[in-house]
Amino acid sequence: MIQKQNLERRESNKQQLVKKKQEDGIRITVVTLNPEGYPEERIKDTKGIVQLLKDNGVNVRIQDHMHEHYAIIDNEIVWYGSMNLLSRAKPDDNLIRVKSKEAVLELLELTFG
């Protein structure tokens, strides 16, 4: 599962990677802000990215408020920090890797209630 605030379209082979992982039985969920909450000039493109993710079999959950950036892998590894995982990196971004099922459960509870 990946939770991030902002989505950004980038050209890469991520679509092929997503399809390969799904063929291997991996479920991917992206939690992101409602495109309607973006600046006017980014709404249309952001809606397109959300649709692209859905069209590629990614479970997309839309939220009206959030700030956390993290990825959960295999329900025991958390990558957590200020980096927008599906967007551009900035020089002052940080990311920490934690192997903790307890941390996973806390983040899932925070996100999904």
Side-chain angles (χ1 to χ4, degrees):
M1 183 183 84
I2 300 172
Q3 175 164 323
K4 72 175 301 309
Q5 189 173 4
N6 299 312
L7 295 175
E8 184 173 299
R9 188 181 302 267
R10 286 192 286 172
E11 294 300 321
S12 72
N13 64 355
K14 287 181 184 168
Q15 284 181 324
Q16 290 87 7
L17 177 62
V18 165
K19 286 184 181 196
K20 166 82 172 86
K21 293 301 179 185
Q22 289 172 327
E23 289 168 3
D24 292 343
I26 306 293
R27 285 187 336 213
I28 300 172
T29 299
V30 172
V31 181
T32 191
L33 285 174
N34 186 335
E36 297 295 334
Y38 281 77
E40 184 69 32
E41 67 275 6
R42 291 184 57 201
I43 291 174
K44 182 178 178 183
D45 192 44
T46 303
K47 284 182 177 179
I49 295 167
V50 168
Q51 190 59 51
L52 180 66
L53 289 167
K54 290 178 178 180
D55 290 347
N56 281 278
V58 175
N59 178 32
V60 179
R61 179 179 170 133
I62 304 296
Q63 293 193 179
D64 290 326
H65 303 287
M66 61 182 278
H67 184 70
E68 297 78 17
H69 304 132
Y70 64 85
I72 296 173
I73 302 166
D74 297 334
N75 285 322
E76 68 175 334
I77 297 171
V78 176
W79 284 95
Y80 188 94
S82 65
M83 178 183 246
N84 281 326
L85 299 166
L86 298 176
S87 185
R88 63 187 174 278
K90 294 183 255 171
D92 61 343
D93 280 341
N94 63 69
L95 204 55
I96 185 172
R97 179 185 184 272
V98 177
K99 186 173 182 178
S100 166
K101 290 183 180 186
E102 292 80 16
V104 167
L105 291 174
E106 285 186 39
L107 288 169
L108 291 173
E109 175 66 28
L110 176 72
T111 304
F112 297 107

